[in-house]
């Protein structure tokens, strides 16, 4: 489990830095990213950076821990992570404009591309039970 947590921390940090870069690209191409619910708020680079780290560590740690308790940890991790990433991509369309929601989904994809394989490589194919 320690190796998984180490990978989660490193991958979350890398994803957070990449999402900060995506944020800067997004604001240069599309203007300010604005969340409209509960109140209109223009985002700064701190939000993608912090939330990628926080949610990357918490989400990956929790799902990785659960995956280890299944018959096929690696497969469980990949499937649950991809489904969660897809489901998590829907709420931005309800709480932000289309452009901001699309950029949020780009950031989700960046985090997934970094985190999913990093954690999967530390998980066994089959349970050791």
């Amino acid at each position: 489990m320690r190796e998984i947590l180490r990978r989660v921390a490193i991958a979350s940090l890398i994803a957070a830095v990449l999402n900060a870069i995506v944020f800067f690209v997004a604001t240069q191409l599309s203007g300010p990213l604005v969340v409209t619910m509960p109140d209109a708020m223009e985002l700064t680079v701190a939000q993608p950076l912090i939330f990628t780290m926080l949610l990357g560590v918490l989400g990956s740690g929790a799902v990785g821990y659960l995956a280890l308790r299944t018959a096929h940890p690696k497969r469980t991790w990949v499937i649950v992570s991809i489904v969660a990433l897809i489901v998590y991509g829907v709420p931005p369309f309800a709480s932000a404009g289309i452009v901001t929601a699309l950029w949020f989904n780009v950031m989700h994809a960046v985090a997934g591309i970094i985190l999913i394989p990093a954690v999967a490589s530390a998980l066994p194919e089959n349970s050791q039970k």
Side-chain angles (χ1 to χ4, degrees), residues 4-94:
I4 293 169
L5 292 175
R6 186 181 72 76
R7 287 178 186 258
V8 164
I10 292 169
S12 292
L13 179 61
I14 292 167
V17 170
L18 290 175
N19 275 341
I21 293 167
V22 169
F23 174 83
F24 287 125
V25 170
T27 56
Q28 289 301 307
L29 295 176
S30 304
L33 300 182
V34 178
V35 175
T36 56
M37 282 180 45
D39 291 321
M41 178 181 77
E42 186 176 324
L43 300 179
T44 66
V45 72
Q47 283 99 357
L49 193 65
I50 292 167
F51 283 110
T52 300
M53 274 298 298
L54 181 67
L55 295 175
V57 169
L58 292 176
S60 297
V63 175
Y65 179 79
L66 293 173
L68 285 172
R69 272 116 190 92
T70 66
H72 304 284
K74 187 177 285 195
R75 181 175 7 161
T76 300
W77 159 257
V78 171
I79 291 169
V80 171
S81 297
I82 290 171
V83 168
L85 196 61
I86 291 167
V87 170
Y88 195 63
V90 174
F93 289 99

